[in-house]
């Protein structure tokens, strides 16, 4: 900087001197200043050319402030260059790593456009990188379920999605999308063909075994019934035959529940839906529950919205509601209270079963809907339970995008609530309007 000050003073001095010699001090000073500005301008032009040439190392300017600026720029350039090298090293290593991943990885931008994809993305999803960069994934793979999943909210993305690969229909993929950064999403597709095949085999096995067992059991139970009713049957056999009948009935119930669960799991097509007059169904279930209660003499109350119906499958809905009500009867001691409530609010329709029975300890509650999970195996068996009831309830509700809510306190009682979305609800008003217009 000091060079510039000296240079400036020098120009002023020479201008002043020339002014004294030619007797035009002011004019000569102006000329000197103009020369100084022109000279600085030339220095800046040199920097500009130097910056444009990029690779020239030394600064083009003479010592002074401009030269210092050039050195600073030079230093920043060097630092940037080594940073760039480091970053590109990281990027290469990252790309190599993701390339070795057994899963397809795609980075999606705000609008679902492809920002980057690894090699497996081509094999699993048919996404070629960099050729497909910038294209929207939903335009490349036009599966409605995938398109819906890509637009889903963060909460919905917690559940993964299974699809068949658009490149190879025999390959089953499990899709997981994790939002990150401000708007980006990490799309991961995992090959689960082997797991899904094993699952399918397990389901088929249960379905087939249940089918095969059903017929001989029906025959057996028929004969046993015949024996009990036969007056010629020896008295001492009756008790044994009654026990055999009890167990065959239990096995039949178990097989029915297994088959029901398998068919729900197989999810082949949607079940037949119709308008279900839920209040009538609940009245029937309440009467059946009173009959089941028998000498236990429970107080069963029913509080229903008589104008609230559902668009659902009769058999599925009956199995959900009856399972919860019959459980309340089984697990509530004599003369206990069981309150059934059917109502709607802004979230949808709800069916509540509230009892003041045995209740459930908190550690069991999250596991109740698992197959064969029972708090007390002996007690459940004694009551004729299969341990599949709540698993069926959960599966059926999932078909309607519904949920099961459980709240229970040991020795105080339980509350089981089915939450069904608005989309299933049918109001009496709508039906009467349709009938009128028909
Ligand atoms: P189960 O055929 O054994 O009743 P479920 O799947 O219907 O099978 O129920 C699982 C377990 O949940 C039952 O074994 C029981 O321990 C518990 N349970 C279900 N409903 C109630 C209830 N209303 N009160 C107390 N425990 C219950």
């Amino acid at each position: 900087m000091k060079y510039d000050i000296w240079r400036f003073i020098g120009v002023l001095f020479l201008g002043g001197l020339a002014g004294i010699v030619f007797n035009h001090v002011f004019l000569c000073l102006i000329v000197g200043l103009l020369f100084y500005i022109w000279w600085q301008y030339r220095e800046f032009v040199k920097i500009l050319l130097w910056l444009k040439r990029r690779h020239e190392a030394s600064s083009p300017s003479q010592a002074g402030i401009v030269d210092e600026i050039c050195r600073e720029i030079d230093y920043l350039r060097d630092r940037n260059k080594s940073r760039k090298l480091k970053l590109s090293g990281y990027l290469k290593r990252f790309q190599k790593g993701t390339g070795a991943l057994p899963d397809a990885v795609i980075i999606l931008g705000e609008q679902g456009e492809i920002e980057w994809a690894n090699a497996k993305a081509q094999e699993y999803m048919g996404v070629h990188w960099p050729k497909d960069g910038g294209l929207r994934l939903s335009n490349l793979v036009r599966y409605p379920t995938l398109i819906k999943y890509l637009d889903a909210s963060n909460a919905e993305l917690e559940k993964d999605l299974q699809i068949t690969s658009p490149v190879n229909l025999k390959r089953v993929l499990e899709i997981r999308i994790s939002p990150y950064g401000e708007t980006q999403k990490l799309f991961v597709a995992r090959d689960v063909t082997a797991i899904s095949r094993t699952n399918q085999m397990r389901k088929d096995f249960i379905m087939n075994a249940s089918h095969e067992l059903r017929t001989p059991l029906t025959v057996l139970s028929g004969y046993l019934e015949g024996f009990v009713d036969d007056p010629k049957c020896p008295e001492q056999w009756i008790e044994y035959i009654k026990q055999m009948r009890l167990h065959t009935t239990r096995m039949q119930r178990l097989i029915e529940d297994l088959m029901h669960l398998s068919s729900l799991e197989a999810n082949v097509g949607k079940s037949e839906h119709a308008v279900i007059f839920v209040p009538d169904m609940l009245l029937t279930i309440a009467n059946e529950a009173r009959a089941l209660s028998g000498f236990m003499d429970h107080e069963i109350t029913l509080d229903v919205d008589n104008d609230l119906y559902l668009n659902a499958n009769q058999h599925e809905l009956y199995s959900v509601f009856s399972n919860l009500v019959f459980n309340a009867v089984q697990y509530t001691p004599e003369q206990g209270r069981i309150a059934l409530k059917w109502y709607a609010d802004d979230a949808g329709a709800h069916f509540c079963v509230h009892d003041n029975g045995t209740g459930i300890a908190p550690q069991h509650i999250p596991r109740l809907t698992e197959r064969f999970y029972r708090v007390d195996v002996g007690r459940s068996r004694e009551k004729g339970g299969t341990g599949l009831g709540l698993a069926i309830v959960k599966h059926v509700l999932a078909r309607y995008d519904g949920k099961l809510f459980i709240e229970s306190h040991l020795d105080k009682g339980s509350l089981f609530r089915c939450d069904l979305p608005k989309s299933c609800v049918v109001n009496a008003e709508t039906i009467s309007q349709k009938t009128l217009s028909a």
Side-chain angles (χ1 to χ4, degrees), residues 99-139:
L101 268 179
D103 304 335
V105 181
I106 304 171
I107 292 178
L108 300 173
E110 190 175 1
Q111 305 298 325
E113 71 280 9
I114 297 162
E115 288 190 350
W116 182 82
N118 70 350
K120 280 279 175 202
Q122 181 173 350
E123 193 182 326
Y124 289 0
M125 299 293 298
V127 172
H128 300 236
W129 174 260
K131 199 184 101 207
D132 293 333
L135 294 180
R136 291 177 76 161
L137 185 60
S138 52
N139 287 344

Side-chain angles (χ1 to χ4, degrees), residues 139-296:
N139 287 344
L140 283 179
V141 185
R142 302 210 52 82
Y143 288 171
T145 46
L146 182 69
I147 294 173
K148 200 171 153 211
Y149 191 58
L150 284 167
D151 291 334
S153 65
N154 287 2
E156 289 169 302
L157 289 177
E158 275 172 18
K159 257 176 89 204
D160 36 41
L161 171 78
Q162 278 206 3
I163 57 166
T164 50
S165 160
V167 182
N168 175 358
L169 294 181
K170 282 187 189 149
R171 179 173 271 144
V172 183
L173 299 175
E174 189 181 82
I175 309 292
R176 184 107 217 193
I177 296 179
S178 319
Y180 75 98
E182 299 239 312
T183 50
Q184 277 163 314
K185 286 176 180 165
L186 184 72
F187 177 103
V188 180
R190 197 156 65 95
D191 185 351
V192 289
T193 316
I195 302 171
S196 123
R197 206 172 289 147
T198 320
N199 264 343
Q200 193 53 48
M201 272 162 62
R202 177 183 59 82
K203 284 178 201 160
D204 289 349
F205 172 77
I206 294 174
M207 194 65 145
N208 293 336
S210 312
H211 259 296
E212 293 300 324
L213 285 169
R214 190 154 72 157
T215 319
L217 268 176
T218 315
V219 175
L220 260 179
S221 104
Y223 276 126
L224 289 171
E225 212 155 305
F227 278 140
V228 175
D229 295 339
D230 189 348
K232 281 185 246 151
C233 180
E235 191 66 30
Q236 68 270 31
W237 287 11
I238 297 286
E239 196 42 42
Y240 298 127
I241 293 171
K242 275 189 178 162
Q243 281 298 314
M244 284 156 82
R245 253 188 70 194
L246 197 77
H247 287 284
T248 34
T249 315
R250 219 173 77 77
M251 277 167 77
Q252 275 177 316
R253 208 176 304 137
L254 188 64
I255 281 163
E256 290 302 328
D257 277 359
L258 271 176
M259 284 177 66
H260 189 184
L261 204 51
S262 298
S263 70
L264 283 173
E265 264 192 339
N267 203 14
V268 262
K270 254 202 159 181
S271 48
E272 243 176 63
H273 283 196
V275 175
I276 310 292
F277 296 95
V278 181
D280 294 352
M281 182 187 268
L282 291 179
L283 194 63
T284 312
I285 294 176
N287 286 334
E288 286 171 355
R290 284 186 191 110
L292 183 70
S293 166
F295 71 89
M296 293 205 284

Side-chain angles (χ1 to χ4, degrees), residues 257 323-325 327-332 353 355 357-360 367-370 372-377 379-381 383-393 408 413-416:
D257 277 359
N323 256 311
L324 296 180
V325 179
N327 269 352
V329 174
Q330 311 278 24
Y331 299 103
T332 303
V353 182
D355 66 55
T358 55
I360 307 157
R367 301 195 58 191
L368 289 182
T369 53
E370 284 175 22
F372 296 114
Y373 189 84
R374 287 174 270 205
V375 176
D376 180 342
V377 180
R379 189 182 173 137
S380 160
R381 284 214 182 108
K383 302 256 178 201
T386 60
L388 294 172
L390 293 182
I392 292 177
V393 170
S408 190
S414 315
L415 168 81
F416 286 79

